[in-house]
Amino acid sequence: MDMQATNKMKVEVWSDIMCPFCYIGKRNYESALGQFADRDRVEIVWKSFQLDPSIPEKTEEENVFRYLAQRKGISYEQSVQMHQGVVQTAKNAGLEYNFDKAVVANSFKAHRMIQLAKTKGLGDQAEERLFSAYFTEGKNFGNPEVLTALGKEIGLTEADVQEALTNETYAQKVKEDIQEAGRLGVNGVPFFVFDRKYAISGAQPPAAFLQALQQSFAEWLK
């Protein structure tokens, strides 16, 4: 690890790219970071998490409303209504969610690509591109061809994405993050950990993130 990286306070974030509140949490954190004077001395580290690992690796394109209705045991209409509330929360954070286009897919392959992107300093770019692809553009990130195209957009090569999807090292990294979340007692995401001292669970308002940044950074400097 280079000296510049070690001279930054770490903010670790357990997240799943099919989690609507994770993208909202990312935006609210970024809003807080924009107000934080020492933002250049803070490093974000994305950690893998799967809300629903039981989704088949290869599946027919599943409608988000139907998926949540079945998972929660509610009616299709109730599911649509629940999603409408999330759309408004996302809009308040400056995001456009198009759940009518979203395709439910197992996120494991996407997490493998994020793990490789992290080794090239592109973790944040990978998270952002995959969130946007899922929630706004309705792209199926369970499809390796789609993942390859998205990877190329952030600066990865086709060979990089192939490596991420075939080298077990990256699968192991995903599993290790998930296991670590279990040891920390994380059972929902997003989950933000500031310098391994303070935690914020959920898509809290920017003010909450700013307070956590200020408090943890002041102690990190000591």
Side-chain angles (χ1 to χ4, degrees):
M1 189 179 290
D2 62 35
M3 285 308 293
Q4 189 184 17
T6 57
N7 199 30
K8 290 186 177 186
M9 185 187 81
K10 279 189 171 56
V11 177
E12 297 161 290
V13 191
W14 275 264
S15 165
D16 193 359
I17 51 267
M18 62 175 292
C19 158
F21 294 103
C22 290
Y23 197 11
I24 294 165
K26 182 178 190 291
R27 272 297 177 277
N28 287 351
Y29 169 78
E30 288 165 350
S31 176
L33 193 66
Q35 302 169 58
F36 184 59
D38 290 292
R39 68 184 77 91
D40 293 338
R41 298 187 67 189
V42 176
E43 177 190 10
I44 193 162
V45 180
W46 290 97
K47 300 274 196 171
S48 299
F49 191 89
Q50 282 199 290
L51 282 177
D52 187 359
S54 72
I55 297 170
E57 280 283 340
K58 287 184 178 178
T59 181
E60 294 298 312
E61 294 206 344
E62 172 72 293
N63 173 292
V64 168
F65 302 128
R66 192 180 306 112
Y67 164 75
L68 189 75
Q70 290 171 345
R71 190 166 186 244
K72 298 269 190 192
I74 58 178
S75 72
Y76 188 89
E77 291 71 27
Q78 284 174 304
S79 177
V80 170
Q81 200 170 10
M82 281 176 73
H83 280 89
Q84 284 172 345
V86 178
V87 168
Q88 188 55 53
T89 304
K91 192 176 284 185
N92 294 341
L95 297 169
E96 180 188 354
Y97 279 13
N98 298 312
F99 283 118
D100 54 325
K101 292 201 296 188
V103 177
V104 175
N106 190 298
S107 61
F108 197 83
K109 287 188 179 81
H111 281 298
R112 289 177 74 138
M113 187 175 86
I114 292 167
Q115 291 289 350
L116 182 136
K118 281 165 62 176
T119 68
K120 297 177 179 290
L122 295 169
D124 200 57
Q125 291 89 330
E127 290 277 341
E128 181 63 35
R129 189 65 195 93
L130 285 161
F131 275 135
S132 176
Y134 182 72
F135 289 107
T136 306
E137 299 163 33
K139 293 188 185 294
N140 181 357
F141 56 53
N143 182 333
E145 290 177 14
V146 172
L147 273 182
T148 300
L150 294 171
K152 283 179 171 179
E153 287 183 36
I154 64 160
L156 298 178
T157 64
E158 191 168 339
D160 287 334
V161 180
Q162 186 64 19
E163 172 77 3
L165 299 182
T166 56
N167 187 326
E168 277 307 298
T169 299
Y170 300 103
Q172 189 57 34
K173 285 176 184 286
V174 176
K175 292 171 185 171
E176 284 169 4
D177 281 355
I178 293 169
Q179 288 163 1
E180 189 178 15
R183 288 195 297 273
L184 290 172
V186 179
N187 50 24
V189 288
F191 194 81
F192 292 74
V193 177
F194 298 77
D195 193 31
R196 285 286 161 133
K197 281 186 176 179
Y198 299 101
I200 286 185
S201 180
Q204 301 295 331
F209 286 115
L210 185 58
Q211 185 181 6
L213 279 167
Q214 289 167 337
Q215 187 171 358
S216 55
F217 189 78
E219 294 182 20
W220 178 78
L221 282 177
K222 290 177 184 175

